[in-house]
Amino acid sequence: MKPIAGLIPYVAVLVGMYGFRSAWAALLLYHAGIVACRVGRRTPNLFAGFKNPLTLPGVLVCAMAAPVVYFLWPWLAAREGILPEWLAHYGLTGWSWRLLIPYFSIVHPILEELHWQGMAPERSTGLCSQDLLFAGYHVLVLLQLIHWPWLFMVFGVLVGSSVFWRWAAGRFGGLGLGILTHAAADAGVVVAVHRLL
């Protein structure tokens, strides 16, 4: 199941975004795949790991995604004016975009942490294939939006984030820290995009 589970976001992006031209279709297909993989499996403790010395600094660091994306956008963008065009192309305008902001900031990080930490090899503290798969599907999403040399930086940051979240889940006995910091990063990105618009 684990190798197939790692391909779920790739299939969702290819079908939803590149097939139906819908970011919502991709996101909901991805989340439906996560739920299907979780059926019959033990759910890890979502709340363990909230209270630890790394919570506040971790959330603050991940929330820095907002100013980083906002201020670096002129260099990150594949070309001038691409952001509103890209969002419109994938159906993220009006209420569709407004609904995505809370959904992507709250529901998405919880489901992603459940999915990717559920695939993690036991006792693995270093880099593993799960980290590469997690980072890789984000590159597939951003391929048309970000100037290609920056995709390597995005990939590296996401690999590092995946390693950290997996380490935190093992160290603190639950997904709490991962969910909080993941949510801070996702919220930071959508807030930055909203401000750029």
Side-chain angles (χ1 to χ4, degrees):
M1 177 63 92
K2 286 185 180 182
I4 295 171
L7 297 178
I8 287 172
Y10 292 86
V11 173
V13 169
L14 290 172
V15 172
M17 291 183 70
Y18 294 99
F20 290 105
R21 289 192 195 179
S22 170
W24 270 106
L27 194 58
L28 293 176
L29 281 170
Y30 178 22
H31 291 171
I34 291 172
V35 171
C37 282
R38 298 297 317 170
V39 171
R41 297 181 65 196
R42 185 180 67 83
T43 300
N45 192 331
L46 299 179
F47 303 103
F50 277 119
K51 294 181 180 179
N52 66 73
L54 295 180
T55 299
L56 184 58
V59 167
L60 291 175
V61 167
C62 289
M64 290 301 292
V68 167
V69 171
Y70 183 80
F71 289 111
L72 286 182
W73 186 249
W75 293 274
L76 294 172
R79 59 180 170 78
E80 192 175 343
I82 185 73
L83 185 58
E85 290 176 22
W86 187 87
L87 290 170
H89 182 77
Y90 293 112
L92 294 176
T93 58
W95 280 106
S96 176
W97 167 246
R98 289 185 191 94
L99 287 172
L100 183 78
I101 295 171
Y103 187 86
F104 190 76
S105 302
I106 299 168
V107 177
H108 181 69
I110 294 170
L111 289 176
E112 276 216 312
E113 286 302 303
L114 274 171
H115 182 63
W116 293 102
Q117 301 317 323
M119 289 173 42
E122 290 188 29
R123 299 184 196 85
S124 174
T125 55
L127 184 68
C128 68
S129 60
Q130 167 206 337
D131 307 315
L132 303 177
L133 286 168
F134 171 76
Y137 101 82
H138 289 82
V139 171
L140 186 61
V141 171
L142 300 171
L143 202 54
Q144 301 167 334
L145 186 62
I146 293 179
H147 192 47
W148 71 266
W150 289 100
L151 290 171
F152 292 103
M153 182 197 72
V154 170
F155 183 81
V157 167
L158 289 166
V159 166
S161 299
S162 180
V163 171
F164 171 74
W165 289 326
R166 188 160 34 79
W167 171 83
R171 173 66 178 82
F172 300 111
L175 304 183
L177 179 61
I179 288 171
L180 276 179
T181 52
H182 198 148
D186 286 354
V189 170
V190 292
V191 165
V193 169
H194 192 67
R195 295 296 301 164
L196 286 165
L197 294 174

